[in-house]
Amino acid sequence: MDQEETYEKVCLKLEYRRGIIKDVEQAHSPVQRHLFSEAKRLIRDIDAMYFSGDVPIAYFKLLSNFDEKEIIELHRRVWNQSRIPFLYVITPGELRIYNCFEEPANPKIDELDAQERLIEHFNVAAGILEGLKKFSKSQIDSGAFWKSEEGKRFRSDRRVDQRLLENLRITREKLHKQGLKYSIIHNLIGRSIFILYLEDRGAIDKDRFYDQFLDGATMYSDIIEDKGAVYRLFEKLKDEFNGDLFPVTDEERNSKINSTHLKIIRELFYGTDMETGQQTLWRPYDFGVIPIELISAIYEMFLHTEKEKDYTSKKGAYYTPHTLVEFVLNEMLPWPSDDEHQYELSILDPACGSGIFLVETFRRLVSRWKFSHNKKKIPILELEHILTNCIYGVDINEDAIRVAAFSLYLAFMDYLEPKTIWEEIRFPYLVYHPDDPDKYGKNLFPMDIFETGPFENMNYDIVVGNPPWKRDGLPEHISNYLSSKGFAQEIAQAFLWRVRDFSSNGKIALLATSKILFNTETKDRHFRSEFFGKNYVETVVNFSALRRTKGGKGRQLFVSAVGPATVFFYRMNAPRLPKSTILYCTPKPTRADNALPGITIDASEFKFLPRMKCSTSDTIWKVAMWGTQRDLEIIERLQQYDNLAAYFGSCMSDSSWKRGRGFQTSPNPNKNKSNDRLSNMPFIDAKDITRFWINPDKITRVEPNSFSRFGCMETHFGPHILIKSGQSNKKFCAAFTEYNCAFRDTITGASGPSDKSTLMKAITAYLNSSFSSYFLFMTASTWGVERERVYPTEVFQLPDLPFHFTDEQIDKLASNVDAIGKLMAGGLPEDDAHICKIETDTDQIIYEKLDISKSERFLIDDALEYSLDFFQEGENSKACDIVDTEDLEAYSTTFCDAVNSILQFGESRAKATVYHGDAPLRVVSIRFSEVNDERTVTVFDSTDELENVLSRLDRQIIEEYSGSIYVRRNVKIYDKNTLHITKPDEKRFWTRSMALRDADETLAAGLNGSS
């Protein structure tokens, strides 16, 4: 069995018949074509690639004999590419699977086949293939592999981007502590990367080049510690390449750079662990392979200096990860295809930062040129034409503009032969220098986008970018701009509106804070009305759930962002055939996100929202993030009630029912004033408030100090309700007490007439009910988006149901609160079965009063059990647990009941077949027939039966839709009178609320055979 026969046997066993590419002509999409070509150019020594959809998964290397030295170097290059998780090395009769996110082996001291790198070693010839199924198509493509123990070994923190950035950060701080300014440090690092790029590309003749700066030198590491030699090299680069490449300033020439500083730079790039100081005298980094966009990530680090430690929060600037850039540009500027390959386009990034969008845009335009001309190479003049006539960026930060120019120069050189770099290239000036006509660029503008400038002279075809995120405290001219439009003081709103001036007929895609969709203040609502009313918005992708995840699992999209992110795809004018809906996508975290370079959006996370409603509804975006059309109908129906705010007045109102936040203190004594009534009052801290009841042992005393704000004094005195802004055990939290008790402003107090204690207890029961948690989770601007918090104004938007309770209901609810208080006083926890039973009784009273149906209760229960838990726990949530047969039966019963309630007047009935077994996807088959079988659900308890169905459906999907069921994962397939529903093996996809949604979609499709 030679290596080719072994390869064929492995691919057959892994079911890789579709997805394997050995030649660029076999690519199934423009993305695959690009990635395969890139791999051949950068990695070179690979024989095949495997794709899951358009996501690259594995490289294959075939050898007649295993060569450890060759594989060490190959693994190093793949690690430096920071894209592919697997390397399959095939020799006659053997398969080795390597983890390419793990750091490469140092050939001097490390073993290639150490446990962290070698995932599995199979003897194919002997047929010892136990465990190979874990790496099969179904396991990889469905995402099941990443939940396995082997999958957990693929750690993003071991990838080259994370390791290099961390070492750069440590290096910069070391140099700064030794007296160098950050600007000088940044220039030294940037020039060093440029030189190492030339060296790794083979553009430098090491035997002759370095010797002209220092006798006997054959590589950059030989001269970097010699200040005179290294600065002679820097001058040589300036003379050779021209452009805006980190010029040596007078300040840098006069600085006290010494050999100690330069030694630290050397250690950074030549294998030293900058944190421990451990030296390996080996360079793991290959800048000929490392993605150019990684250079842009350095800018993110440059923002975090001791001198400017809160620059990010002040300026609102964030580094944009390449994954997100690719996602945006795949929509705006796809890789070339027969249908779309135009390259004469003008693209503007209005807040370009270090240029990551511009670099990726440039690469795509070059690829389009080559596709259009059917050429593998592009002439230098054409490269320069695209760079100087298509790529434009604006940023107020001059350092960022310099990094952007540097990144674009590297991208430019990536298309040149090594010898051409020295012989023919002089970089065009890109940066706008109006005071220096000899260096007058017209592409990158270190200017303010809200002021006038030459960047205004064009009408751009595409505008993309990630503008700053900041609310309040804005520069005066931006604040005035927003005020003139009636918008909130949110800089992202200013950018979203301002860029319309540059693209009257083009397409726009900007990232912004997700809070634009959810904030409920008057000016925020006005912005939404104007934005969605006066632009043609095509798609909104809300990445809030991927902002950060529990335990570091899943993808944290932004390195330092606190706020959630959304991408808005829009244009000023509607197309000839406008759509009546806006596509709204809300991707959720999975373990695969931590390993794979692409962003996957499950089918259940696609919503089509009515265009007209998007500009008027304050709740549609939030409800659609976690719920369904049915949830929206519940919320909108109940919002027709008056709300609690109609009864509870502010502190200054004449109402006998008051609401207000607690007191505040200030560290500035000049802002404080005394209050004898507050001083020495009983006091409860927010962390000590539990649902329903306050433990008297937790009550202390207010320290007799001064207060910057007193809060609403009436609400400090009993009887009153204390409401936390955060949650208790993932539920909204309010407690009743008869006693006087002061509190800080993280608590909201509600008080009423002294003779209304019973009603106030009933209100407490209402606030702690499942309904209230559901309503607030679906409507609050922050809970479920950013953090576990509900603002006081949002609490009092709850329907005013308690003021419509009957006396009997009030008495019952009040007694439930008393009963829970007694049980908790006796030491029982909140989740005790006795307390849960009382809460269920409370929920029942409220559901009946609100006329909540059985199916609507399913929605409420699932939102609290799965959606809320998913928000707070991420990939660790029970929503991601595997599905059991009971889940599938409940789903099927709910689906059939919903469909049959509509079909009851016809002859057909829906019956379900559930397949129980061990497979990465689950299947439920719904058969429509006239047979009146009493059983609604039949269970096949067989793994073989389940796999047979999946295999049959997968073949059908491949034949009809050019894609695997495992890649698509969430698929409805119509086969004569049977509907097959396939989804991943996670509970969140098989809840009763998902059954209702699927039933609604099935009925809407009219059972017309559409998939």
Side-chain angles (χ1 to χ4, degrees):
M1 178 182 286
D2 64 17
Q3 64 269 26
E4 286 289 346
E5 293 172 316
T6 306
Y7 167 79
E8 293 297 332
K9 185 172 184 177
V10 166
C11 288
L12 181 65
K13 191 73 176 178
L14 293 174
E15 305 166 341
Y16 281 6
R17 66 186 185 281
R18 185 175 182 85
I20 281 281
I21 296 177
K22 297 186 76 173
D23 184 86
V24 71
E25 299 304 321
Q26 297 175 335
H28 300 296
S29 72
V31 172
Q32 290 186 6
R33 184 187 303 111
H34 160 71
L35 293 176
F36 186 83
S37 300
E38 179 185 73
K40 281 293 189 180
R41 181 173 61 87
L42 295 177
I43 308 302
R44 297 192 293 272
D45 299 320
I46 61 162
D47 297 299
M49 284 180 75
Y50 176 72
F51 286 86
S52 172
D54 279 340
V55 178
I57 298 294
Y59 287 140
F60 283 78
K61 177 62 181 175
L62 279 60
L63 295 169
S64 57
N65 293 289
F66 185 76
D67 186 330
E68 181 172 355
K69 182 177 179 182
E70 181 177 351
I71 299 305
I72 284 177
E73 177 57 23
L74 178 59
H75 181 271
R76 173 177 174 264
R77 293 179 71 82
V78 178
W79 178 75
N80 273 278
Q81 190 190 18
S82 193
R83 186 183 285 276
I84 303 286
F86 294 108
L87 173 62
Y88 290 5
V89 177
I90 294 178
T91 52
E94 292 187 298
L95 166 66
R96 292 173 174 85
I97 301 178
Y98 291 96
N99 177 358
C100 293
F101 286 172
E102 185 59 42
E103 292 187 49
N106 181 339
K108 299 178 182 178
I109 58 175
D110 293 333
E111 292 184 13
L112 170 65
D113 288 356
Q115 182 179 5
E116 61 270 19
R117 276 180 291 276
L118 181 65
I119 301 296
E120 289 283 359
H121 184 181
F122 296 100
N123 188 331
V124 181
I128 304 175
L129 299 176
E130 184 179 351
L132 186 59
K133 185 178 179 180
K134 289 180 293 191
F135 303 90
S136 68
K137 163 192 173 60
S138 60
Q139 295 290 316
I140 297 293
D141 291 3
S142 69
F145 171 81
W146 308 107
K147 298 180 182 180
S148 69
E149 289 304 312
E150 289 81 2
K152 294 175 184 177
R153 290 167 62 182
F154 289 79
R155 295 169 45 191
S156 60
D157 62 337
R158 307 292 292 176
R159 288 164 50 163
V160 67
D161 51 351
Q162 299 297 316
R163 302 300 292 168
L164 177 57
L165 288 175
E166 178 62 13
N167 279 323
L168 280 166
R169 183 190 65 79
I170 295 170
T171 300
R172 188 196 55 199
E173 296 311 314
K174 279 187 176 182
L175 291 169
H176 184 64
K177 287 179 180 177
Q178 295 195 17
L180 289 188
K181 289 187 174 182
Y182 286 115
S183 58
I184 295 174
I185 297 169
H186 303 162
N187 286 340
L188 283 171
I189 290 174
R191 291 191 209 103
S192 296
I193 290 174
F194 182 75
I195 293 165
L196 291 171
Y197 170 85
L198 295 175
E199 195 172 292
D200 291 337
R201 282 287 315 278
I204 289 177
D205 184 344
K206 296 180 182 180
D207 292 334
R208 295 191 300 175
F209 180 73
Y210 290 113
D211 184 67
Q212 62 185 301
F213 309 110
L214 186 67
D215 289 343
T218 59
M219 59 182 62
Y220 184 53
S221 60
D222 294 335
I223 70 170
I224 191 171
E225 292 184 48
D226 187 306
K227 181 178 179 180
V230 81
Y231 273 88
R232 286 194 292 273
L233 171 57
F234 294 162
E235 286 296 323
K236 172 75 171 177
L237 292 178
K238 186 193 73 170
D239 294 340
E240 286 286 342
F241 292 106
N242 204 350
D244 304 290
L245 186 67
F246 296 116
V248 179
T249 63
D250 291 338
E251 179 185 43
E252 183 176 346
R253 289 190 182 90
N254 299 327
S255 66
K256 297 180 179 179
I257 294 175
N258 56 46
S259 59
T260 301
H261 300 134
L262 297 174
K263 181 181 179 183
I264 293 173
I265 296 285
R266 183 185 188 280
E267 290 174 344
L268 164 67
F269 294 113
Y270 289 87
T272 298
D273 186 313
M274 301 306 292
E275 186 170 18
T276 65
Q278 181 177 353
Q279 297 183 349
T280 61
L281 303 178
W282 174 73
R283 186 157 70 87
Y285 306 120
D286 186 333
F287 287 94
V289 178
I290 287 176
I292 292 169
E293 57 271 9
L294 181 57
I295 306 304
S296 299
I298 296 171
Y299 176 47
E300 163 68 8
M301 294 181 50
F302 287 0
L303 295 177
H304 294 81
T305 66
E306 289 302 315
K307 179 180 178 182
E308 304 167 303
K309 59 185 177 182
D310 54 2
Y311 180 100
T312 302
S313 62
K314 287 180 178 178
K315 300 287 187 181
Y318 297 108
Y319 154 64
T320 311
H322 188 245
T323 298
L324 202 47
V325 173
E326 285 187 319
F327 178 87
V328 172
L329 290 179
N330 283 345
E331 297 297 316
M332 298 292 286
L333 189 69
W335 294 104
S337 66
D338 290 335
D339 296 328
E340 193 168 359
H341 52 263
Q342 184 181 1
Y343 60 89
E344 288 283 0
L345 300 170
S346 57
I347 292 95
L348 171 72
D349 185 339
C352 68
S354 55
I356 189 166
F357 271 106
L358 298 181
V359 166
E360 183 68 8
T361 296
F362 174 70
R363 294 171 65 200
R364 289 171 184 242
L365 292 178
V366 171
S367 183
R368 285 172 169 231
W369 185 96
K370 292 195 289 186
F371 184 92
S372 299
H373 292 80
N374 195 24
K375 302 280 188 181
K376 291 186 177 181
K377 295 182 180 180
I378 178 172
I380 291 179
L381 288 179
E382 293 294 342
L383 272 176
E384 186 170 333
H385 175 81
I386 292 173
L387 182 60
T388 56
N389 289 274
C390 301
I391 305 299
Y392 300 90
V394 181
D395 201 286
I396 198 170
N397 187 319
E398 291 189 31
D399 289 337
I401 287 290
R402 189 178 301 120
V403 177
F406 172 53
S407 300
L408 286 167
Y409 289 149
L410 287 183
F412 186 92
M413 289 194 300
D414 227 24
Y415 295 96
L416 305 179
E417 293 296 328
K419 65 177 183 179
T420 304
I421 292 175
W422 286 102
E423 293 174 358
E424 301 180 29
I425 183 173
R426 285 181 69 81
F427 291 137
Y429 286 107
L430 300 177
V431 179
Y432 178 65
H433 295 289
D435 299 328
D436 189 347
D438 293 331
K439 298 180 179 180
Y440 189 90
K442 61 180 181 66
N443 298 89
L444 302 176
F445 302 92
M447 304 178 75
D448 190 327
I449 198 75
F450 294 97
E451 297 177 348
T452 59
F455 53 83
E456 295 179 297
N457 297 334
M458 292 183 63
N459 195 13
Y460 300 92
D461 297 303
I462 295 174
V463 177
V464 291
N466 177 19
W469 305 356
K470 193 176 190 308
R471 192 174 180 92
D472 299 327
L474 304 179
E476 184 178 2
H477 67 293
I478 299 178
S479 176
N480 292 339
Y481 178 85
L482 288 163
S483 296
S484 70
K485 310 291 183 186
F487 299 158
Q489 293 294 302
E490 177 76 63
I491 196 169
Q493 293 183 16
F495 270 91
L496 286 166
W497 200 261
R498 168 64 166 151
V499 296
R500 293 160 28 104
D501 296 338
F502 311 129
S503 187
S504 59
N505 297 309
K507 300 186 297 182
I508 304 170
L510 292 188
L511 278 91
T513 169
S514 299
K515 299 302 289 294
I516 283 176
L517 297 173
F518 309 122
N519 282 335
T520 56
E521 295 181 14
T522 301
K523 291 184 177 181
D524 291 292
R525 294 201 303 268
H526 174 64
F527 174 79
R528 281 197 296 274
S529 175
E530 291 288 289
F531 182 75
F532 289 102
K534 295 185 177 178
N535 295 300
Y536 182 80
V537 180
E538 295 176 299
T539 304
V540 175
V541 185
N542 175 5
F543 289 109
S544 298
L546 301 184
R547 176 180 60 95
R548 58 184 180 188
T549 56
K550 292 281 185 178
K553 297 170 184 173
R555 173 172 287 112
Q556 180 174 334
L557 278 184
F558 290 89
V559 176
S560 59
V562 175
T566 289
V567 187
F568 296 88
F569 296 90
Y570 63 106
R571 58 177 70 181
M572 284 188 65
N573 301 310
R576 187 173 60 87
L577 297 174
K579 296 180 180 179
S580 61
T581 58
I582 295 175
L583 175 60
Y584 183 43
C585 306
T586 57
K588 307 298 190 301
T590 68
R591 189 179 298 277
D593 288 331
N594 199 35
L596 300 180
I599 293 172
T600 301
I601 304 179
D602 188 83
S604 65
E605 294 153 0
F606 284 80
K607 315 286 173 66
F608 293 90
L609 308 185
R611 183 173 298 279
M612 295 298 294
K613 204 164 194 173
C614 289
S615 61
T616 58
S617 173
D618 289 334
T619 56
I620 190 170
W621 298 104
K622 179 66 184 299
V623 175
M625 179 178 175
W626 292 108
T628 66
Q629 174 64 29
R630 289 183 179 235
D631 292 285
L632 183 61
E633 290 169 0
I634 296 175
I635 296 299
E636 291 187 334
R637 186 183 86 231
L638 297 175
Q639 284 179 329
Q640 294 176 14
Y641 280 74
D642 285 337
N643 53 43
L644 292 178
Y647 292 84
F648 286 89
S650 67
C651 197
M652 303 301 293
S653 72
D654 295 331
S655 173
S656 57
W657 295 87
K658 304 279 191 183
R659 59 185 167 95
R661 297 169 72 170
F663 67 80
Q664 292 179 323
T665 59
S666 172
N668 183 350
N670 295 326
K671 294 185 178 181
N672 289 328
K673 45 189 178 290
S674 62
N675 187 308
D676 293 338
R677 295 180 71 194
L678 271 178
S679 293
N680 287 312
M681 270 190 75
F683 171 79
I684 187 72
D685 194 86
K687 71 179 187 318
D688 296 321
I689 294 181
T690 54
R691 299 172 69 243
F692 299 102
W693 176 73
I694 292 175
N695 186 345
D697 294 338
K698 299 291 186 180
I699 294 177
T700 59
R701 289 276 172 180
V702 176
E703 295 183 9
N705 56 7
S706 296
F707 309 90
S708 57
R709 293 188 179 181
F710 304 141
C712 183
M713 287 301 301
E714 288 91 334
T715 62
H716 290 297
F717 296 91
H720 53 171
I721 304 169
L722 305 186
I723 305 168
K724 290 176 66 171
S725 60
Q727 282 73 58
S728 176
N729 292 330
K730 301 174 188 174
K731 293 183 178 180
F732 190 68
C733 179
F736 171 82
T737 178
E738 296 273 9
Y739 306 109
N740 300 340
C741 192
F743 47 89
R744 290 187 176 272
D745 65 332
T746 54
I747 298 171
T748 297
S751 63
S754 59
D755 61 345
K756 295 295 185 181
S757 291
T758 304
L759 177 54
M760 294 182 73
K761 290 178 183 178
I763 294 171
T764 302
Y766 174 63
L767 292 174
N768 287 316
S769 69
S770 294
F771 166 75
S772 291
S773 286
Y774 167 78
F775 185 94
L776 293 170
F777 182 65
M778 288 292 177
T779 59
S781 61
T782 296
W783 195 14
V785 176
E786 186 173 12
R787 51 177 68 91
E788 298 139 22
R789 179 179 181 180
V790 180
Y791 291 108
T793 54
E794 295 169 337
V795 174
F796 291 91
Q797 295 302 307
L798 279 162
D800 64 346
L801 186 67
F803 292 94
H804 301 284
F805 286 144
T806 65
D807 290 343
E808 181 182 355
Q809 290 169 330
I810 291 172
D811 290 340
K812 178 58 177 173
L813 291 171
S815 67
N816 282 356
V817 171
D818 289 336
I820 291 174
K822 288 178 181 178
L823 291 172
M824 295 180 72
L828 292 182
E830 282 186 46
D831 57 357
D832 178 80
H834 295 85
I835 294 176
C836 292
K837 185 176 183 302
I838 297 172
E839 289 199 61
T840 300
D841 180 57
T842 296
D843 287 341
Q844 184 67 23
I845 294 171
I846 292 169
Y847 288 155
E848 290 178 358
K849 188 68 176 178
L850 290 169
D851 195 24
I852 299 292
S853 69
K854 179 182 176 181
S855 61
E856 289 173 334
R857 296 181 194 188
F858 291 163
L859 298 173
I860 294 173
D861 291 344
D862 287 346
L864 299 181
E865 184 173 3
Y866 297 113
S867 298
L868 177 54
D869 191 68
F870 198 27
F871 163 65
Q872 298 193 190
E873 299 299 331
E875 218 270 348
N876 291 332
S877 167
K878 68 179 74 172
C880 297
D881 289 348
I882 61 173
V883 181
D884 54 39
T885 303
E886 289 76 16
D887 296 322
L888 294 176
E889 289 187 77
Y891 170 93
S892 301
T893 300
T894 304
F895 182 101
C896 290
D897 288 348
V899 171
N900 288 335
S901 69
I902 304 299
L903 299 180
Q904 59 182 312
F905 303 109
E907 297 179 349
S908 293
R909 293 291 183 273
K911 305 291 182 182
T913 300
V914 170
Y915 302 90
H916 174 69
D918 180 19
L921 297 181
R922 289 283 178 250
V923 179
V924 167
S925 298
I926 309 294
R927 186 166 182 254
F928 298 92
S929 70
E930 299 176 11
V931 178
N932 190 11
D933 188 345
E934 291 184 0
R935 293 178 302 168
T936 301
V937 179
T938 303
V939 178
F940 275 103
D941 191 4
S942 167
T943 296
D944 290 341
E945 186 69 27
L946 173 58
E947 290 188 343
N948 287 337
V949 173
L950 286 171
S951 178
R952 187 172 71 251
L953 297 180
D954 190 40
R955 285 195 298 272
Q956 184 174 337
I957 279 287
I958 288 173
E959 291 169 2
E960 295 181 13
Y961 304 107
S962 301
S964 167
I965 191 176
Y966 293 100
V967 173
R968 295 162 66 93
R969 298 200 299 171
N970 194 328
V971 181
K972 297 184 183 74
I973 304 170
Y974 292 91
D975 182 15
K976 296 182 180 178
N977 64 342
T978 301
L979 168 65
H980 303 283
I981 302 172
T982 68
K983 301 184 188 185
D985 186 13
E986 296 181 15
K987 285 183 181 290
R988 62 188 173 117
F989 298 114
W990 297 101
T991 62
R992 292 168 300 180
S993 56
M994 290 302 297
L996 292 170
R997 170 184 161 158
D998 291 343
D1000 291 343
E1001 291 179 349
T1002 300
L1003 291 167
L1007 306 178
N1008 61 0
S1010 63
S1011 177

